């Protein structure tokens, strides 16, 4: 089984952390492939950057020259998952819903600890759309920027713990780490708390293994039917950012995709 884990930003060091967390969670025999878009924001801290990232991720997926059995999208509260579900014929899981679903199996109410306060409404909206907000006791921002998480990991852990305790006081019985950039911090945070801590990357990998193992995939019956064939100017952009060989391969894959959708 091969699981593709997509970091939605272009910071390679964050992709490395996400890859390490995903690999540690994966069962023997599961291969983790981690990557990021070829263009887009270095971190995502708002709707503007989130929308840019969603397009960049879909662009990357449309030209990726490798096969995989499931996709894990490692952005917390970010848009774009529904587009990936239309584009691909393999299961697509995101860390927001996976973390919340896992947390609800472990306690009556859960809390989310994220980065900047401005991310809180975005996460709340995502949980509401997914039908998961009712059992969320709190979403709290640490005040840390996404890139700050890597600058001083010890300080980041301390601030996350302090913020998690606020969520626990608000009624959370389980804490979800609300940023892909927090991958790898779960054990240190959990050691200081009296409640379970869920890492969304790890949770999504385990759910992906389960879905693939059950031979299930996204329904194409209605909401996530493949995109209708039509002209899209300069799509996909990634074909123009690769070496000549990569452009040829990407163009071939895009032509194949267009032909497949034309038959639907």
């Amino acid at each position: 089984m091969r699981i593709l884990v997509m970091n939605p930003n272009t910071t390679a060091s964050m992709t490395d952390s996400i890859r390490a967390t995903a690999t540690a969670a994966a069962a023997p025999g599961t291969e983790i492939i981690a990557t990021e878009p070829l263009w887009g924001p270095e971190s995502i801290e708002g709707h503007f950057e989130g929308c840019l990232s969603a397009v960049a991720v879909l662009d990357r997926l449309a030209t990726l020259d490798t096969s995989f059995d499931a996709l894990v999208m490692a952005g917390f509260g970010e848009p774009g998952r529904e587009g990936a579900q239309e584009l691909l014929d393999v299961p697509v899981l995101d860390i927001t819903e996976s973390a919340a679903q896992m947390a609800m199996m472990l306690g009556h109410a859960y809390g989310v600890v994220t980065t900047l306060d401005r991310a809180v409404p975005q996460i709340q909206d995502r949980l509401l759309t997914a039908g998961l907000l009712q059992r969320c006791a709190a979403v709290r921002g640490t005040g840390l920027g996404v890139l700050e998480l890597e600058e001083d990991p010890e300080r980041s852990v301390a601030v996350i713990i302090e913020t998690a305790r606020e969520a626990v006081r608000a009624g959370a019985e389980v804490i979800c780490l609300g940023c892909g950039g927090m991958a790898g911090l779960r054990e240190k945070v959990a050691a200081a708390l009296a409640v379970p801590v869920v890492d969304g990357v790890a949770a999504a990998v385990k759910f992906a293994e389960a879905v693939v193992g059950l031979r299930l995939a996204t329904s194409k019956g209605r909401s996530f039917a493949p995109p209708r064939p039509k002209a899209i100017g300069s799509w996909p952009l990634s074909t123009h950012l690769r070496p000549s060989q990569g452009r040829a391969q990407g163009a071939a894959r895009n032509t194949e995709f267009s032909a497949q959708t034309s038959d639907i």
Side-chain angles (χ1 to χ4, degrees):
M1 182 187 308
R2 304 180 83 198
I3 298 177
L4 173 66
V5 182
M6 179 67 70
N7 173 16
N9 67 46
T10 57
T11 300
S13 59
M14 201 161 291
T15 302
D16 292 340
S17 297
I18 290 170
R19 178 189 294 109
T21 296
T23 300
T30 296
E31 180 183 358
I32 298 296
I33 309 165
T35 190
E36 66 277 332
L38 299 183
W39 58 274
E42 62 179 351
S43 65
I44 303 166
E45 295 167 327
H47 294 286
F48 173 73
E49 293 162 352
C51 290
L52 283 178
S53 169
V55 177
V57 166
L58 293 174
D59 181 72
R60 181 77 166 113
L61 291 171
T63 58
L64 198 63
D65 298 321
T66 188
S67 62
F68 50 91
D69 301 301
L71 169 67
V72 168
M73 300 183 73
F76 208 98
E78 308 303 338
R81 191 210 61 201
E82 294 87 351
Q85 287 179 292
E86 291 185 7
L87 183 66
L88 304 175
D89 58 4
V90 300
V92 177
L93 297 99
D94 82 317
I95 65 173
T96 315
E97 294 187 21
S98 295
Q101 294 280 10
M102 183 72 75
M104 291 192 299
M105 298 177 190
L106 304 174
H108 178 265
Y110 67 94
V112 178
V113 176
T114 188
T115 51
L116 300 178
D117 181 69
R118 66 179 295 170
V120 171
Q122 196 169 350
I123 291 173
Q124 290 172 328
D125 286 349
R126 187 72 195 179
L127 293 172
L128 178 63
T129 300
L132 301 169
L133 187 60
Q134 184 175 357
R135 287 175 61 184
C136 181
V139 181
R140 295 284 188 269
T142 59
L144 295 171
V146 173
L147 298 182
E148 285 183 79
L149 293 170
E150 294 187 331
E151 292 175 0
D152 188 347
E154 293 303 319
R155 175 175 177 268
S156 296
V157 168
V159 176
I160 291 168
I161 291 170
E162 179 182 352
T163 308
R165 286 174 175 151
E166 294 177 9
V168 171
R169 287 193 290 271
E173 299 174 6
V174 183
I175 294 296
C176 298
L177 298 181
C179 177
M182 294 179 181
L185 303 182
R186 191 200 72 82
E187 290 187 3
K188 290 183 178 180
V189 174
L193 299 176
V195 299
V197 176
V198 177
D199 180 287
V201 172
V205 166
K206 301 312 290 185
F207 279 131
E209 288 178 332
V211 174
V212 173
L214 292 170
R215 299 183 181 179
L216 297 172
T218 303
S219 171
K220 296 296 182 179
R222 191 182 186 189
S223 300
F224 303 117
R228 298 184 66 188
K230 62 187 67 175
I232 303 177
S234 300
W235 169 265
L237 178 61
S238 289
T239 60
H240 305 291
L241 302 177
R242 294 175 158 196
S244 57
Q245 181 179 4
R247 286 201 297 270
Q249 292 174 341
R253 286 178 60 83
N254 191 48
T255 301
E256 180 182 359
F257 172 72
S258 300
Q260 290 173 347
T261 56
S262 299
D263 294 335
I264 294 172

